[in-house]
């Protein structure tokens, strides 16, 4: 486990942004215990369908709201009441904003000291995402969405690949965005053109190269919306796919990772064959990602990088990443310095074919 300080990350212990915390399909009738950002949470779906994320521990005696499935209240399915939740130990009730609003054996108002914190959550693209802000501010931007998610010609990921926890600092996952030089040795698709662009909370990569495995030109436009959610539009041969990679810090120096891919069927209606092709495309994308994953699992921490002239621009990439740990009032200065596009010495910028791909997909 490597600490923020070793990477020169200053400010908060965990970054600000939207983060995947669960797949929507994981939410049944019971609350789900989660641990991220060095904290424990209880996630549940209220009877109206609203998704609620509260601090895990009841203010009465510290019971984990999602940690007592054998309690009578839980067995009877009575923990969730409307969009509120009752603690399984003595039945105290918290509304979706975390307000303690009923103590079954107490008359008069509930102590406001008993309120829990409730966190902004969104259900997007089959994922539950939370807004994590160490300063508890309102979301500064919205989580990414895709028009394709609601397009019937696109086969959805489902389920996501749950890759579990990795003992690596998430900054090293985001290093991939600048890393033009690993695409050949690691993924078998040496890049022929390359560009990074930083625009406030968005980090973009445009690249293309011949993929040995697919025996086709692979073009991709990949972007982070904040530090935790990557989407990547990719075309190779007649395949169009959109990949998702989500990283969410668990504790300092450890991260949880999810992966998925959407696949565009050649025509409507979608057939079983298309669904099988979609699973194959997701598996192919996972295999490529697994090559990164294996490296991350076994490498030592790159707290400093011995970069040569034509290496990826890791340093700018890390500056972009570190902004999410900084106090909000520092953001304008960081962004003003960083925003813009860069190419890499000997690699050309995206050619006309890439620009056409980007304009049409
Ligand atoms: S510990 Fe939660 S109601 Fe008592
Ligand atoms: Fe990679």
């Amino acid at each position: 486990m490597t600490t923020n300080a070793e990477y020169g990350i200053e400010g908060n212990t965990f970054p600000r942004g939207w983060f995947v915390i669960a797949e929507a399909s994981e939410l049944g009738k019971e609350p789900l215990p989660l641990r991220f950002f060095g904290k424990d949470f209880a996630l549940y779906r209220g009877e109206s369908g609203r998704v609620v994320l509260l601090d895990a521990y009841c203010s009465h005696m510290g019971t984990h709201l999602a940690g007592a499935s054998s309690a009578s209240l839980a067995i009877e399915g009575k923990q969730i009441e409307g969009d509120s939740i009752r603690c399984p130990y003595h039945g105290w009730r918290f509304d979706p904003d975390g307000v303690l609003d009923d103590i079954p054996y107490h008359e008069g108002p509930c102590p406001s000291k008993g309120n829990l914190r409730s966190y902004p959550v969104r259900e997007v693209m089959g994922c539950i995402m939370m807004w994590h802000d160490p300063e508890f501010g309102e979301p500064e931007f919205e989580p990414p969405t895709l028009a394709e998610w609601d397009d019937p010609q696109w086969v959805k990921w489902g389920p996501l690949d749950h890759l579990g926890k990795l003992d690596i600092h998430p900054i090293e996952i985001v290093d991939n965005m600048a890393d033009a030089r690993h695409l050949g040795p690691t993924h078998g698709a040496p890049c022929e053109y390359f560009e990074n662009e930083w625009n406030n909370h968005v980090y973009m990569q445009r690249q293309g190269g011949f993929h040995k495995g697919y025996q086709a030109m692979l073009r991709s436009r990949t972007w982070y919306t904040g530090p935790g959610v990557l989407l990547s539009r990719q075309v190779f041969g007649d395949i169009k796919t959109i990949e998702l990679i989500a990283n969410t810090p668990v504790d300092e120096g450890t991260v949880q990772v999810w992966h998925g891919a959407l696949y565009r069927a050649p025509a409507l209606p979608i057939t079983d064959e298309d669904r099988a092709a979609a699973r194959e495309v997701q598996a192919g994308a996972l295999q490529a990602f697994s090559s990164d994953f294996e490296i991350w699992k076994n490498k030592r921490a790159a707290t400093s990088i011995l970069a040569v002239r034509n290496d990826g621009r890791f340093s700018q990439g890390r500056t972009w990443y570190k902004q999410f740990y900084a106090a909000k009032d520092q953001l304008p200065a960081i962004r003003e310095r960083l925003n813009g596009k860069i190419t890499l010495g000997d690699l050309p910028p995206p050619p006309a074919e890439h620009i056409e791909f980007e304009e049409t997909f």
Side-chain angles (χ1 to χ4, degrees):
M1 185 186 113
T2 323
T3 61
N4 290 345
E6 289 170 83
Y7 288 95
I9 297 174
E10 291 172 1
N12 297 302
T13 310
F14 296 104
R16 180 186 298 115
W18 287 102
F19 293 90
V20 171
I21 53 169
E23 194 164 359
S25 58
E26 289 174 84
L27 267 189
K29 296 233 173 302
E30 285 92 50
L32 201 63
L34 297 175
R35 181 174 177 82
F36 296 107
F37 309 105
K39 267 201 285 207
D40 296 304
F41 301 95
L43 179 75
Y44 65 94
R45 191 186 289 284
E47 286 171 351
S48 76
R50 175 171 173 186
V51 178
V52 180
L53 182 70
L54 299 179
D55 273 332
Y57 298 113
C58 177
S59 44
H60 181 212
M61 286 169 66
T63 296
H64 196 308
L65 297 177
S69 57
S70 61
S72 176
L73 209 61
I75 292 171
E76 289 173 30
K78 289 184 179 159
Q79 243 196 293
I80 292 164
E81 210 177 276
D83 286 347
S84 301
I85 186 168
R86 283 196 187 273
C87 173
Y89 208 5
H90 312 94
W92 289 23
R93 189 178 68 190
F94 302 89
D95 81 2
D97 296 320
V99 175
L100 170 63
D101 66 357
D102 184 55
I103 298 175
Y105 49 89
H106 169 76
E107 277 170 29
C110 300
S112 59
K113 247 167 79 180
N115 296 350
L116 300 179
R117 188 171 289 283
S118 171
Y119 298 84
V121 281
R122 302 263 196 283
E123 192 166 351
V124 274
M125 302 182 294
C127 303
I128 310 294
M129 297 194 195
M130 78 173 282
W131 173 255
H132 178 260
D133 181 358
E135 295 163 66
F136 304 117
E138 285 301 306
E140 190 208 333
F141 51 88
E142 281 302 301
T145 53
L146 292 167
E148 285 84 352
W149 183 259
D150 298 310
D151 180 337
Q153 205 168 335
W154 281 81
V155 185
K156 293 177 167 49
W157 48 67
L160 289 172
D161 304 305
H162 292 236
L163 302 182
K165 276 184 223 159
L166 193 58
D167 273 327
I168 194 169
H169 197 289
I171 198 170
E172 297 220 19
I173 295 180
V174 180
D175 278 342
N176 239 233
M177 289 292 284
D179 199 354
R181 305 303 177 177
H182 88 296
L183 295 167
T186 305
H187 299 300
C191 108
E192 295 168 23
Y193 61 87
F194 190 84
E195 182 178 85
N196 279 136
E197 183 176 1
W198 296 282
N199 185 6
N200 299 335
H201 65 274
V202 178
Y203 182 174
M204 177 78 71
Q205 178 204 72
R206 302 180 174 93
Q207 72 87 34
F210 190 79
H211 192 293
K212 287 183 205 155
Y214 300 147
Q215 282 294 301
M217 185 71 186
L218 170 75
R219 299 185 196 283
S220 66
R221 174 163 58 116
T222 305
W223 70 103
Y224 269 92
T225 306
V229 186
L230 170 151
L231 289 168
S232 179
R233 292 176 179 270
Q234 299 167 13
V235 172
F236 49 96
D238 49 12
I239 306 273
K240 270 186 175 176
T241 176
I242 305 174
E243 194 175 12
L244 165 94
I245 295 174
N247 82 75
T248 306
V250 177
D251 286 292
E252 197 174 342
T254 65
V255 65
Q256 190 161 330
V257 181
W258 296 260
H259 172 270
L262 301 183
Y263 165 78
R264 185 175 188 269
L268 280 169
I270 289 177
T271 63
D272 284 347
E273 213 173 293
D274 296 330
R275 275 183 272 272
R279 296 289 74 85
E280 217 173 285
V281 165
Q282 180 160 332
L286 177 62
Q287 201 185 358
F289 184 51
S290 300
S291 306
D292 290 311
F293 210 81
E294 188 190 6
I295 288 173
W296 293 328
K297 222 168 171 169
N298 296 318
K299 72 192 292 303
R300 69 153 170 80
T303 50
S304 67
I305 297 174
L306 176 63
V308 296
R309 210 166 80 92
N310 282 334
D311 244 325
R313 301 291 186 245
F314 295 111
S315 162
Q316 282 106 315
R318 287 187 170 191
T319 300
W320 176 85
Y321 183 77
K322 288 174 187 177
Q323 70 174 290
F324 300 104
Y325 293 74
K328 260 187 213 152
D329 58 7
Q330 295 178 25
L331 291 182
I334 297 171
R335 290 172 173 182
E336 199 187 323
R337 266 204 319 274
L338 189 67
N339 280 356
K341 283 183 186 176
I342 57 111
T343 50
L344 279 190
D346 60 332
L347 285 173
E353 294 87 336
H354 182 97
I355 293 162
E356 192 195 324
F357 145 69
E358 196 162 318
E359 279 168 358
T360 53
F361 179 37

